[in-house]
Amino acid sequence: MKNEWYKEAVIYQIWPRSFKDGNGDGIGDLHGVLEKLDYIKSLGADAIWFSPLYPSPNADYGYDIADYKNISPDYGDLDLFKQVLDGAHERGMKVLMDLVVNHTSIDHQWFQESLKGKDNPYHDYYFWRKGKGKDGKKPPNNWLSCFEGGAWEYNKDLDEYYLHVFAKGQPDLNMDNPKVRDEVKSIMRFWLDMGVDGFREDVITYISKKEGLPNGFPLPIATGVEHYNKGPHCHEYLTEFRQDIMKDYDCFMVGESPMTNSKDALKYTAGEDKVLDMMISFDHMQADCLVTDTIVTPFSLKKLKKAFTNWQNDLYGRSWNALYIENHDHPRVISRYGSEKFWKESGKMLATMCYMQCGTPFVYQGQEIGMVNNHLTSVDQFKDVVTFNNEKLFKKLGFSDSAYLKIANRTSRENARTPVQWDKSKYAGFSTAEPWFSVNPNYTDINVKQQEKDKDSILNYYRKLFKVRKENKIFIYGDYKEHMHESKDFYVYERNYEGKKALVICSFADETKTFRVPAGFDLTKGKLLLQNYKDAPARANICPLRPYEARVYLFE
Ligand code: NOJ
């Protein structure tokens, strides 16, 4: 297995709008990031991934980009970004930008030019098509967007429709046009020349649409997805980006890929001709839902273990995993897979369960202090296009306002977008002005300042965990073997490396349960590297595990 920097790294994700406001306008910004670089470093982070920082009208909070080579005035400017970049580098941290090239914003100059008519060279940067039906008033096909009704928006002046598989404000780029691919490479070069170290590539497996844009299998949302996810030229275009860029730069690339299993991931991330270093997968984020977070099912530990184990087994020695349980697209993990009642225990256990596996840890802002879901009192307090689209869908199905509010509070990705809770002062120390989005009222109890002081805090546990990973290569390069797959209470796996063994034991039960140690292990002979309760009584082969207890043993 080749040693590459990212394999030993921890990556911290910043969703800038809610990280830290440094100029007092209620919106997080790069002044705030600059202030917190030491904090990020103190977690054991080796890289920062910035969700989009570019100018954007915020139809999808930055994932609709109006200018790829600039910084949004909400967040600062290019000079300030350079200060952050230098500041990160001085502290030994790399910086990754979000590369969102499946679509632009409607405010992007390319789209504005494309509106000028067929003869404009930018017209073919997008998917403009004539309508269907006798009067030409029907959309070109039956595709539905992931975010906002139909996937086609009509333009009267052109008498044509443009394709948007996300929000209306996010027209899809036509990657089949070589000029568009050149633009993508030019964007990459722009940031790499400035010193950026790589990219997280947004829905990168959506960039190639099937020729002829055929009708899709009817679904409540995203009809047509089978014609563009891992589409016909996806691998080819990614190869082109990788080859053209990698000959001049050492550039890390992690690609987001919904609806992709571990076998498919290998096609993109394994071997000499890999096009991505890793893939952001979704399987393990569906242990309490079907396909999307909104279709809730009871949490299934077996489903969670199956998802993780497939990726661990299939990728080991061939490719590399991105380990994450939170980001800006999902509700907070303690509220999903853990327990707000056993907040501290489950927060630490979930970190242990995920980050002791083989792969690179990604930590999302606020996760390291155990931030949990918010509870808003009315749907109009939400801000996100997805929440409002879901509202329409659920109302159509007959759900009442209050029933939908309950669903949104449990499932909305906005739960992860409340301002980071820095201290217990007004607005949680996030800003001196009223924040753009409501602060979770629990900030007086859950905040960074309080947890800095508390040795036993979730924050300090994350620090310890990443230290243990770094000091013990077994957690980086060791293999993975799952035990007790059928258990509904325990997630247990071993790692092996250079003659050493480690055993990771995690309980998902909310009461004490008897744990029988897997054959071949004697807990009294192991060195306890991590534990989330103060004491950890153990006999050789049996021990009671308390609610959400986690332990990591090393056998040398
Ligand atoms: C995935 C991003 O993570 C998400 O936040 C965004 O809404 C969609 N892609 C569309 O860009």
Side-chain angles (χ1 to χ4, degrees):
M1 202 187 282
K2 246 168 93 185
N3 294 31
E4 280 136 318
W5 71 264
Y6 61 82
K7 293 186 177 162
E8 303 195 11
V10 169
I11 300 179
Y12 188 78
Q13 184 195 349
I14 291 184
W15 197 74
R17 214 170 180 76
S18 288
F19 181 67
K20 171 80 177 115
D21 175 16
N23 67 355
D25 63 358
I27 298 175
D29 53 38
L30 289 171
H31 299 283
V33 174
L34 208 51
E35 255 177 63
K36 296 296 178 189
L37 285 176
D38 285 329
Y39 168 76
I40 299 168
K41 181 70 193 171
S42 80
L43 297 172
D46 306 281
I48 300 173
W49 148 30
F50 284 104
S51 274
L53 288 164
Y54 319 95
S56 162
N58 291 321
D60 182 16
Y61 289 108
Y63 283 90
D64 49 323
I65 297 172
D67 179 357
Y68 288 94
K69 297 182 180 170
N70 216 332
I71 295 291
S72 163
D74 280 349
Y75 304 139
D77 56 21
L78 281 170
D79 283 338
L80 184 55
F81 176 75
K82 279 183 209 143
Q83 281 182 54
V84 169
L85 183 62
D86 291 345
H89 284 164
E90 276 158 23
R91 290 165 177 81
M93 292 188 288
K94 299 194 186 277
V95 171
L96 313 174
M97 294 298 263
D98 217 311
L99 186 72
V100 187
V101 292
N102 175 67
H103 44 266
T104 68
S105 157
I106 43 172
D107 284 4
H108 197 287
Q109 195 207 342
W110 305 336
F111 189 76
Q112 289 303 314
E113 287 292 320
S114 86
L115 288 170
K116 293 184 179 158
K118 270 207 224 53
D119 298 332
N120 188 292
Y122 290 96
H123 196 72
D124 194 37
Y125 269 41
Y126 297 90
F127 292 93
W128 283 104
R129 295 289 183 274
K130 284 280 173 216
K132 286 255 166 80
K134 270 191 211 136
D135 54 359
K137 289 282 173 280
K138 274 200 186 150
N141 67 20
N142 73 344
W143 292 8
L144 295 182
S145 85
C146 308
F147 283 1
E148 242 184 336
W152 293 96
E153 189 67 7
Y154 181 64
N155 179 281
K156 219 163 122 213
D157 296 336
L158 292 175
D159 188 29
E160 283 183 330
Y161 289 80
Y162 70 83
L163 175 70
H164 62 92
V165 308
F166 289 96
K168 289 178 189 152
Q170 295 172 297
D172 280 59
L173 279 167
N174 172 17
M175 209 56 81
D176 298 328
N177 181 343
K179 284 194 198 135
V180 173
R181 303 202 295 279
D182 285 345
E183 299 277 13
V184 172
K185 287 178 263 178
S186 153
I187 296 165
M188 292 172 101
R189 287 206 181 90
F190 176 84
W191 293 104
L192 291 166
D193 283 339
M194 200 182 293
V196 156
D197 304 281
F199 300 96
R200 175 266 187 191
E201 303 182 346
D202 189 63
V203 286
I204 202 63
T205 47
Y206 283 16
I207 60 172
S208 166
K209 275 77 180 170
K210 190 164 179 181
E211 216 186 296
L213 310 178
N215 278 338
F217 181 79
L219 299 166
I221 57 164
T223 297
V225 65
E226 72 275 27
H227 297 311
Y228 58 79
N229 193 11
K230 295 168 287 232
H233 301 286
C234 182
H235 197 278
E236 178 190 328
Y237 297 157
L238 290 178
T239 305
E240 181 181 326
F241 298 157
R242 179 107 181 161
Q243 284 177 351
D244 286 7
I245 293 299
M246 292 304 263
K247 67 178 168 18
D248 300 321
Y249 307 89
D250 177 17
C251 170
F252 166 77
M253 298 179 189
V254 50
E256 186 200 29
S257 179
M259 289 170 276
T260 296
N261 62 34
S262 45
K263 301 258 176 335
D264 280 342
L266 290 174
K267 294 182 201 147
Y268 291 82
T269 60
E272 285 306 308
D273 59 350
K274 70 176 179 183
V275 291
L276 297 169
D277 294 302
M278 337 170 191
M279 207 168 237
I280 297 177
S281 61
F282 284 70
D283 292 349
H284 67 285
M285 298 307 277
Q286 289 162 11
D288 62 354
C289 62
L290 289 174
V291 193
T292 114
D293 292 340
T294 357
I295 309 176
V296 175
T297 56
F299 169 70
S300 159
L301 177 58
K302 280 179 76 175
K303 218 173 148 192
L304 183 75
K305 294 195 286 190
K306 189 163 180 236
F308 271 124
T309 297
N310 282 345
W311 281 77
Q312 288 291 309
N313 288 344
D314 286 340
L315 269 57
Y316 187 75
R318 301 185 186 101
S319 165
W320 198 252
N321 269 290
L323 302 174
Y324 81 97
I325 36 179
E326 279 195 11
N327 64 32
H328 63 293
D329 285 333
H330 303 280
R332 293 286 182 180
V333 73
I334 293 179
S335 309
R336 298 180 66 177
Y337 297 174
S339 154
E340 289 183 20
K341 179 172 167 210
F342 294 101
W343 165 74
K344 195 187 265 188
E345 293 81 3
S346 68
K348 294 177 181 178
M349 182 279 288
L350 288 164
T352 315
M353 176 278 297
C354 180
Y355 299 132
M356 291 284 107
Q357 296 185 34
C358 185
T360 298
F362 284 68
V363 181
Y364 177 66
Q365 63 188 37
Q367 178 190 337
E368 74 278 14
I369 55 164
M371 281 177 66
V372 296
N373 280 357
N374 203 5
H375 297 283
L376 297 179
T377 51
S378 129
V379 176
D380 53 24
Q381 294 163 357
F382 287 88
K383 305 269 188 198
D384 180 32
V385 59
V386 178
T387 312
F388 298 127
N389 192 45
N390 286 332
E391 183 185 12
K392 280 192 204 135
L393 295 173
F394 277 93
K395 290 266 175 74
K396 257 195 207 160
L397 294 172
F399 280 71
S400 65
D401 285 352
S402 62
Y404 179 64
L405 178 64
K406 231 171 148 185
I407 293 175
N409 272 326
R410 168 151 177 206
T411 67
S412 159
R413 61 183 184 170
E414 296 184 69
N415 281 304
R417 298 178 176 192
T418 59
V420 170
Q421 297 161 202
W422 293 102
D423 59 41
K424 63 174 186 194
S425 67
K426 199 170 177 198
Y427 306 134
F430 163 75
S431 177
T432 48
E434 187 178 345
W436 74 280
F437 188 37
S438 57
V439 174
N440 191 318
N442 66 17
Y443 71 93
T444 46
D445 298 321
I446 301 179
N447 63 65
V448 173
K449 192 166 177 197
Q450 188 278 330
Q451 294 196 27
E452 287 283 6
K453 286 187 289 202
D454 175 7
K455 260 192 168 160
D456 185 43
S457 64
I458 296 183
L459 175 62
N460 282 319
Y461 188 85
Y462 267 79
R463 288 179 171 139
K464 181 157 184 213
L465 189 156
F466 293 138
K467 193 160 172 274
V468 165
R469 258 184 75 93
K470 288 197 169 131
E471 287 171 357
N472 297 277
K473 294 277 182 275
I474 186 169
F475 297 112
I476 297 174
Y477 297 108
D479 71 1
Y480 166 101
K481 190 172 152 214
E482 196 200 338
H483 289 274
M484 309 174 75
H485 186 67
E486 295 306 315
S487 168
K488 290 185 179 148
D489 295 317
F490 306 125
Y491 188 174
V492 183
Y493 57 87
E494 73 177 77
R495 308 282 312 265
N496 291 282
Y497 187 63
E498 295 184 336
K500 291 184 187 173
K501 263 183 193 304
L503 190 67
V504 180
I505 307 168
C506 297
S507 171
F508 279 73
D510 57 7
E511 57 187 356
T512 300
K513 296 259 170 156
T514 304
F515 172 70
R516 285 177 203 288
V517 180
F521 288 94
D522 172 349
L523 295 191
T524 60
K525 302 235 166 75
K527 185 169 153 199
L528 194 58
L529 295 182
L530 280 171
Q531 68 202 83
N532 64 347
Y533 277 78
K534 284 207 173 74
D535 58 345
R539 278 186 273 142
N541 51 16
I542 193 162
C543 76
L545 286 183
R546 289 152 291 190
Y548 297 98
E549 184 158 1
R551 299 185 191 186
V552 178
Y553 288 93
L554 181 68
F555 301 87
E556 297 187 89

